[in-house]
Amino acid sequence: MLIVVSPAKALDFESPLATRKYTVPTMMDEARQLVSIMSRRSPDDLAALMSISPALAELNFERFQDWEPPTSPDPARPAVLAFNGDTYIGLDAPNSFDERDFTHAQKVLRILSGLHGVLRPLDLIRPYRLEMGSKVHHGKGDDLYSFWGSKVTDQLNRDLAKSPGTPALVNLASQEYFSAVQPDRVDGRVITPKFLDAQGDTDFKMIGFFAKRARGAMAGWIVRERITTIGALAEFAADGYEFAPDRSSVDAPVFTRRSD
């Protein structure tokens, strides 16, 4: 079983590292190509491309100018400890993973990335911002989906073949990032859990902020509890979410939560 999650815009390159373990990203040739393209963009180009402020555009311009392949955790950082958005708050790797958990996460958890394609949790990254939905002209197309093509799926299949348990890909990523995967080519069942919050007495709705944290919480739970089967996903119960069998299918287990 293999889990995929999205990266985060927010980064943490300051707090103490929870492990000294690290690896080097697998798809470095592609990352170099993208950095070469992006480093030729002006700050104004980046501001328009990413819909960010001039200050953030200047920061990311400098990041692309200074980028080098990461080989050691200074100034780079393991991806699971560098991303700091809602999913990673839910995952809580710095506080809830021990060394064996980090080792197991390398086998079962993958982070989809606009720059790196597929990252393992301990793969080193330098600060960057390049969302998968970005319109980037690269000679063979005008976006990152065409840049990555089948490469992301091919890498996931290689990792899935080596992961323990049921051949299944647990999709805990956003639609933007999972759109880089070709589900019909995945060598296993694709499972997409859904997290819904109560709206009134009977209505339930997916609320992005809460769903992101729940996805991260499930990913961390799968790692820590060594979950290896699809059926066991129904046992997930964190932050008030409970499995809702009447709303679920095998490929789309639903978890609901009511506010007290």
Side-chain angles (χ1 to χ4, degrees), residues 197-207 210 257-259:
D197 279 80
Q199 300 290 294
D201 294 333
T202 59
D203 190 26
F204 285 85
K205 182 180 179 181
M206 193 277 285
I207 300 175
F210 294 132
R257 179 174 66 175
R258 291 186 182 276
S259 300

Side-chain angles (χ1 to χ4, degrees), residues 234-251:
E235 300 172 13
F236 174 75
D239 298 330
Y241 286 100
E242 295 182 346
F243 179 59
D246 57 322
R247 296 174 178 265
S248 301
S249 65
V250 174
D251 294 340

Side-chain angles (χ1 to χ4, degrees), residues 2-3 5 22-28 77-83 88 102-113 116-125 155-156 159 162:
L2 194 70
I3 315 154
V5 298
Y22 65 88
T23 48
V24 176
T26 305
M27 308 175 88
M28 288 305 303
R77 192 173 179 90
V80 77
L81 302 176
F83 295 121
Y88 295 85
F102 281 112
T103 298
H104 186 67
Q106 283 287 95
K107 302 174 184 177
V108 301
L109 179 62
R110 295 295 179 266
I111 301 167
L112 303 177
S113 164
H116 297 280
V118 179
L119 288 165
R120 295 168 294 182
L122 297 178
D123 282 348
L124 294 173
I125 64 170
Q155 184 61 52
L156 292 176
D159 294 340
K162 295 182 287 186

Side-chain angles (χ1 to χ4, degrees), residues 39-199:
S39 64
R40 297 195 292 270
R41 297 290 188 94
S42 70
D44 287 344
D45 292 337
L46 295 179
L49 174 69
M50 301 181 182
S51 299
I52 55 178
S53 68
L56 277 177
E58 185 66 36
L59 172 63
N60 284 283
F61 173 79
E62 293 173 359
R63 286 171 172 173
F64 284 123
Q65 299 303 310
D66 296 340
W67 190 90
E68 294 179 358
T71 57
S72 66
D74 183 19
R77 192 173 179 90
V80 77
L81 302 176
F83 295 121
N84 196 35
D86 292 322
T87 295
Y88 295 85
I89 292 172
L91 181 64
D92 197 28
N95 300 310
S96 68
F97 281 15
D98 60 23
E99 291 295 336
R100 291 178 298 175
D101 294 330
F102 281 112
T103 298
H104 186 67
Q106 283 287 95
K107 302 174 184 177
V108 301
L109 179 62
R110 295 295 179 266
I111 301 167
L112 303 177
S113 164
L115 180 61
H116 297 280
V118 179
L119 288 165
R120 295 168 294 182
L122 297 178
D123 282 348
L124 294 173
I125 64 170
R126 294 172 66 97
Y128 79 95
R129 181 164 177 166
L130 185 61
E131 296 167 38
M132 189 64 81
S134 299
K135 298 294 184 181
V136 177
H137 181 71
H138 49 83
K140 296 181 180 180
D142 294 313
D143 57 30
L144 291 181
Y145 299 117
S146 58
F147 176 85
W148 288 110
S150 63
K151 292 180 180 181
V152 167
T153 306
D154 291 342
Q155 184 61 52
L156 292 176
N157 280 335
R158 287 190 287 270
D159 294 340
L160 187 57
K162 295 182 287 186
S163 66
T166 303
L169 185 68
V170 182
N171 171 25
L172 293 170
S174 66
Q175 184 60 43
E176 175 187 353
Y177 280 88
F178 198 71
S179 292
V181 180
Q182 300 165 332
D184 58 335
R185 293 189 59 251
V186 172
D187 295 334
R189 199 156 196 161
V190 177
I191 309 298
T192 304
K194 298 179 180 179
F195 302 91
L196 308 178
D197 279 80
Q199 300 290 294

